[in-house]
Every structure is written in structure tokens, then in C-alpha cells.
Amino acid sequence: MTNGLIRVFLTVLTVMFSGSGSSASDPTSPTVLRVTVGPQLVDCVGVGPMKCLVLDRRNFYQNIDGFEHKAGVTYVLDIERRQRFDPETVPADAGLYAHRLLAIVSRDPS
């Protein structure tokens, strides 16, 4: 009786947390990220030489739709990341994800 009750409880929990909509493990579901953008663009090389944002201390080779970087300002942003291509067919010169500004959480002039 106790094992049966535990099984029912675990089944209910599984249904509650899996939901009927898109799952967090679904790679095509948009993801909201909070990132820190460094105060300067840096030289980097993608398809060719370019300037990159620095997100969380790493070069970021793409744009964030709706965001305009101002030199000398460190930003904390909430952005949405969504998958643009099937990983098997992503073009060599394109990023797998698209990023869109949701909110500027803070600005800190350096």
C-alpha cells in the first residue's frame, strides 16, 4: 500500500512539473537569460575580423536585437534566446540562436 501511494505521488509530481506546454528541455523553446555586457567592444574574428560584445566575460559574435551598446557602459540585460536553425543544417556563417533584448536591468558607466 505504501509503495503504491509513493508511485501515485511521484506520478502526480511528474505530471505537474512536465506540464502540457513546451518543456524546459525543448531546445526550440525561447530561454530568458540575464547577462552582463562589458563596457568595450573587442576585436574578434568570426567569418572575418569584427568587433564583438563581451557577455559574461566571453566574446559574443552576434547581435542582440533591440540593444545598442554604448562604449564605457557596463550593462546587465535580460535577453531572450531562441533557436533559429536545426543544429544539423545551421549555415557555417550564422549563429544557431537569435537574441532579443527584453529589458535593461542596469547601466553602470565605467
Side-chain angles (χ1 to χ4, degrees):
M1 181 73 175
T2 303
N3 285 341
L5 203 52
I6 291 172
R7 248 183 297 211
V8 169
F9 178 73
L10 291 175
T11 301
V12 169
L13 283 177
T14 301
V15 169
M16 284 174 51
F17 287 104
S18 66
S20 59
S22 61
S23 166
S25 63
D26 179 1
T28 61
S29 294
T31 303
V32 175
L33 305 170
R34 180 160 288 177
V35 297
T36 300
V37 180
Q40 302 300 328
L41 298 177
V42 296
D43 291 327
C44 59
V45 178
V47 173
M50 57 189 281
K51 294 285 190 179
C52 287
L53 293 170
V54 178
L55 260 64
D56 297 331
R57 299 183 185 157
R58 294 188 177 135
N59 288 358
F60 186 73
Y61 295 83
Q62 295 178 271
N63 292 321
I64 300 171
D65 293 336
F67 174 66
E68 187 175 329
H69 184 269
K70 181 178 176 186
V73 178
T74 299
Y75 297 88
V76 175
L77 308 176
D78 284 342
I79 62 173
E80 176 188 77
R81 179 180 73 185
R82 65 177 172 74
Q83 188 171 317
R84 297 192 301 175
F85 302 102
D86 179 315
E88 300 295 321
T89 61
V90 63
D93 62 344
L96 178 61
Y97 298 101
H99 299 85
R100 180 175 65 93
L101 177 66
L102 297 175
I104 297 175
V105 178
S106 68
R107 292 180 181 97
D108 183 20
S110 298

